[in-house]
Amino acid sequence: MAVKVTIVHNHNHSDRLRRNNAILRALSPEGTPRRPPRDPPAPPGQPPGPPRLLFHPNCGQKAAVVNEGRTALRPHATDDFNHGVVLSARALRDNELFQVRIDKMVDKWAGSIEIGVTTHNPAYLQLPSTMTNLRSGTWMMTGNGVMHNGTTVLDEYGHNLDRLKAGDTVGAVGTP
């Protein structure tokens, strides 16, 4: 049902996000990589800090990344569903919040936004119709459940994402 989302630039994240992320971290088997390798540190003379989080241009066949990478949308959302997968252009830093605001919804379809983390590099990933079909390197929330590599590992977790409305935000926090 989500048609358009925009990345919200916010360094302050709530205790609830940290608490929910701690549960996901506790569910992750030891030794499972949580993200691709980090970006190299800033060159000497440049200010430290990660580049702004943006969407990667490699996106689902029925999605588009616009607004200089800050917004993702499904241009024909009333005609098509699925194939709207979008990923961030870089890995999350430890304790960094990746948060999106739902800008537009359509009530024609069942289901809505899914959010999570993956160890896959978006530049080389052949995107599935939905991230629930990815069978490796992925933790995500869908509806009100948590999935790991395409398998539900926790039901009735947190707020049901299918009930979000335009203007609501949802996010994930990078873990150490």
Side-chain angles (χ1 to χ4, degrees), residues 2-7 55 70-73 86 100-104 113:
V3 175
K4 180 180 173 188
V5 297
T6 300
I7 296 172
F55 289 113
R70 292 188 298 270
T71 301
L73 59 92
V86 290
V100 296
R101 179 187 61 240
I102 299 173
D103 295 322
K104 187 174 181 184
I113 193 168

Side-chain angles (χ1 to χ4, degrees), residues 25-98:
R25 187 172 48 245
L27 291 171
S28 177
E30 285 302 316
T32 300
R34 289 180 176 82
R35 66 179 72 80
R38 302 261 190 253
D39 296 331
Q46 289 189 358
R52 183 180 180 140
L53 277 165
L54 300 171
F55 289 113
H56 195 277
N58 181 26
C59 60
Q61 63 189 17
K62 297 185 179 174
V65 174
V66 297
N67 192 20
E68 298 178 346
R70 292 188 298 270
T71 301
L73 59 92
R74 295 184 304 130
H76 306 289
T78 57
D79 301 325
D80 301 316
F81 63 96
N82 284 342
H83 299 282
V85 172
V86 290
L87 302 171
S88 65
R90 66 167 175 79
L92 289 176
R93 307 280 181 183
D94 292 348
N95 297 315
E96 181 179 25
L97 172 63
F98 178 73

Side-chain angles (χ1 to χ4, degrees), residues 149-163:
N149 298 333
T151 301
T152 300
V153 294
L154 187 61
D155 286 317
E156 306 298 321
Y157 177 78
H159 186 81
N160 189 331
L161 301 183
D162 295 341
R163 293 191 180 129

